[in-house]
Amino acid sequence: MRAVEEVTLGCPGLVQNHDHPASTSQIAETTDGWKKRWVESKHQPDYGKFQLATGKFYGDKEKDKGLQTSEDAKFYALSTRFTPFSNVNETLVVQFSVKHEQGIDCGGGYVKLFPDTLNQEDMHSESTYYIMFGPDICGFGNNEVKIIFYHQEKYHVNNRTIKCRINKDTHLYTLILRPNATYEVKIDNEHVISGELEDDWDFLPPRKIKDPYARKPRKWDERPQIEDPDDKKPEDWEDFEFIPDPEAKKPDDWNEAMDGEWEGPLIPNLKYKGQWKPRIIDNPDYQGEWVHPEIDNPKYKPDPTICHYYNISVLGLDLWQVKSGSVFDNFLLTNDEEFAEEVGNSTWGLRKDREKQWREVYEEIQKKKQAEEAKKKREKQKEREEDIWGLDEADSEEDLEEEPGNDRLMQEASTKRVSQRSEL
């Protein structure tokens, strides 16, 4: 890939990135023209709708607009197409930002990359994709960054756990795939995890396997400590908690033929010291834990085509959300790691502090509002409890339901009083 695809929300236009002459960027303004670039799937009629919005708190009212989910308990399917490219022998950076201002409890916040064969109007959860990347949250404690790659007609999910951010602020997610079959994940432009693709995904059989013919020697001693064989229980050690009562006597009328053998009652042993155990010492014959020897796996064969994709052409949001309100923005596909970091700093980086301040103010206002509403509710409930005869409710109902004739009579009486005063 010798190009950068910045999939934003407006009408695209190709411009040269002069700071990075080897890269070409697809740049667009965030305006209502996003509907010309993004296609809603018609695979099912009840998909949730996206809207262009900043959300309840933001850094800049116009610049921070993004694609926001707007309906609860809905599937979403939206995608945008761009010129196909390949990441073979090139770095691939997938980057975007997402804000879960609704306090998401169960739902996806990831993106997918599709081949150019995708029918966008028929995109759905079973549509073949190349890469899925981003936060996936469902329930308490289950909040992870999922990375799924398509290889050899199978999907492979990352083995290592990557925790995502679960607060209500906007966060920047970055996936970097390098030509040397390594990867890196950054959140908010900070390194989170990295490694080799073969190690952290089950693309291939393992390089090494346990030797099927190796067996642990029968005399192998794995006990780090043992009981001291030379330790002996003292002769006067009392390890019986209860003993027969020495003063108890068999009743004179006890009949062993009828009553069985007589046994005296038990009493607590005053000399009882507990169960005796020999002391523990280090095992002089300890050999350590036996390690099963490994051999080269005859089924393992290196595959240089892992995560090589030749016709990446669609970026999609294929999601399920219980609580809507997530705002997606700043989509970027590039072969330039430095450029991706600069874009992150010039978009998410500029909004994060002001947005956080705005959120804190908003939450404080909401907190006060809720406290006031709760206070009014308590006062109203108290009034109801004190008004045991229901007089307040009766008076209020009478005021609301006065007959029209009463108003006429009151007006006539008032007019009469006025005329009487005039005569005086």
Side-chain angles (χ1 to χ4, degrees):
M1 179 179 67
R2 298 305 299 173
V4 176
E5 297 288 347
E6 184 174 349
V7 186
T8 54
L9 307 178
C11 302
L14 290 174
V15 299
Q16 184 70 27
N17 181 353
H18 299 291
D19 293 331
H20 302 265
S23 300
T24 302
S25 303
Q26 193 171 31
I27 306 295
E29 296 296 329
T30 306
T31 66
D32 290 336
W34 70 275
K35 292 184 178 180
K36 298 178 181 179
R37 293 206 58 202
W38 294 81
V39 176
E40 294 181 347
S41 176
K42 299 177 182 177
H43 180 77
Q44 60 188 52
D46 58 344
Y47 278 126
K49 299 296 183 181
F50 282 94
Q51 62 186 11
L52 188 65
T54 55
K56 298 173 183 176
F57 36 85
Y58 44 82
D60 185 283
K61 188 174 182 179
E62 293 299 324
K63 293 181 180 179
D64 293 348
K65 286 182 177 180
L67 293 175
Q68 184 180 43
T69 56
S70 64
E71 299 177 79
D72 294 345
K74 288 285 187 178
F75 287 98
Y76 292 84
L78 186 73
S79 64
T80 184
R81 185 177 294 274
F82 42 84
T83 304
F85 67 87
S86 169
N87 71 318
V88 177
N89 298 323
E90 289 281 354
T91 296
L92 172 60
V93 182
V94 182
Q95 183 169 280
F96 69 100
S97 66
V98 61
K99 173 175 62 175
H100 298 304
E101 69 173 23
Q102 76 276 36
I104 190 170
D105 53 2
C106 185
Y110 42 78
V111 299
K112 289 182 177 181
L113 296 185
F114 297 88
D116 60 358
T117 54
L118 176 73
N119 178 358
Q120 291 177 263
E121 291 191 347
D122 192 48
M123 186 185 80
H124 54 90
S125 60
E126 299 301 318
S127 297
T128 300
Y129 62 89
Y130 286 151
I131 300 173
M132 187 184 100
F133 168 62
D136 189 19
I137 299 171
C138 191
F140 179 77
N142 188 13
N143 26 291
E144 302 177 0
V145 175
K146 290 290 180 65
I147 311 174
I148 301 178
F149 294 116
Y150 186 72
H151 182 69
Q152 298 293 341
E153 299 184 354
K154 293 181 180 180
Y155 291 108
H156 304 268
V157 65
N158 49 306
N159 297 327
R160 297 171 67 182
T161 300
I162 309 171
K163 287 295 183 180
C164 63
R165 304 295 186 264
I166 57 173
N167 59 27
K168 298 180 180 181
D169 298 328
T170 297
H171 292 286
L172 184 72
Y173 289 88
T174 307
L175 170 65
I176 304 172
L177 297 179
R178 300 187 177 98
N180 60 355
T182 63
Y183 77 98
E184 180 180 359
V185 173
K186 297 197 292 184
I187 301 178
D188 296 343
N189 259 345
E190 293 184 356
H191 171 85
V192 173
I193 196 172
S194 60
E196 295 190 16
L197 294 173
E198 279 193 33
D199 294 339
D200 296 341
W201 281 264
D202 295 330
F203 294 114
L204 306 172
R207 294 185 179 92
K208 298 282 186 179
I209 59 171
K210 293 180 178 180
D211 186 348
Y213 299 105
R215 297 288 185 273
K216 180 173 71 173
R218 286 182 297 174
K219 294 184 178 181
W220 189 277
D221 198 333
E222 294 182 320
R223 301 171 300 165
Q225 292 183 315
I226 60 172
E227 295 179 349
D228 186 352
D230 298 325
D231 192 16
K232 305 298 181 184
K233 182 172 73 171
E235 294 181 359
D236 60 347
W237 189 276
E238 292 283 348
D239 52 10
F240 293 103
E241 187 174 359
F242 297 94
I243 58 174
D245 184 354
E247 298 180 359
K249 304 297 182 181
K250 182 171 70 172
D252 294 337
D253 60 349
W254 188 271
N255 188 331
E256 291 189 357
M258 296 291 293
D259 302 325
E261 184 179 356
W262 181 81
E263 295 181 357
L266 298 177
I267 62 173
N269 184 1
L270 300 180
K271 297 180 180 180
Y272 174 66
K273 298 181 180 181
Q275 185 180 1
W276 182 85
K277 294 181 180 180
R279 63 172 173 267
I280 302 300
I281 61 173
D282 293 335
N283 183 4
D285 298 324
Y286 175 62
Q287 295 176 272
E289 184 179 356
W290 185 75
V291 179
H292 200 126
E294 293 184 335
I295 60 173
D296 291 336
N297 185 359
K299 295 183 179 180
Y300 170 78
K301 294 181 180 180
D303 185 352
T305 67
I306 290 177
C307 293
H308 283 190
Y309 305 113
Y310 291 88
N311 56 347
I312 304 171
S313 187
V314 177
L315 182 145
L317 297 170
D318 174 28
L319 313 165
W320 158 261
Q321 289 196 343
V322 175
K323 290 170 62 177
S324 63
S326 299
V327 181
F328 296 83
D329 197 6
N330 304 311
F331 304 96
L332 174 68
L333 306 177
T334 179
N335 59 356
D336 193 324
E337 295 182 40
E338 292 183 4
F339 178 62
E341 185 170 338
E342 291 174 7
V343 170
N345 288 331
S346 62
T347 53
W348 164 84
L350 293 180
R351 78 163 64 169
K352 61 184 180 69
D353 293 334
R354 188 173 178 184
E355 178 187 271
K356 182 180 179 182
Q357 294 172 359
W358 190 295
R359 174 182 58 79
E360 291 173 349
V361 171
Y362 174 83
E363 290 177 344
E364 186 64 27
I365 294 173
Q366 291 299 110
K367 186 177 179 181
K368 290 180 179 179
K369 184 178 178 181
Q370 291 172 0
E372 291 174 359
E373 291 176 351
K375 182 180 178 181
K376 291 179 181 178
K377 188 176 181 180
R378 289 193 301 269
E379 291 175 350
K380 193 171 183 180
Q381 181 65 28
K382 186 178 180 181
E383 289 175 359
R384 290 194 186 125
E385 292 173 355
E386 293 176 349
D387 183 23
I388 59 175
W389 300 105
L391 297 177
D392 290 343
E393 293 184 4
D395 291 343
S396 62
E397 289 177 0
E398 289 177 0
D399 293 341
L400 292 172
E401 297 178 1
E402 286 183 344
E403 295 181 1
N406 291 339
D407 290 340
R408 180 175 55 81
L409 292 173
M410 290 177 66
Q411 290 175 1
E412 290 177 354
S414 177
T415 304
K416 187 175 181 180
R417 284 197 299 271
V418 171
S419 62
Q420 288 175 349
R421 287 175 185 171
S422 300
E423 293 175 358
L424 294 172

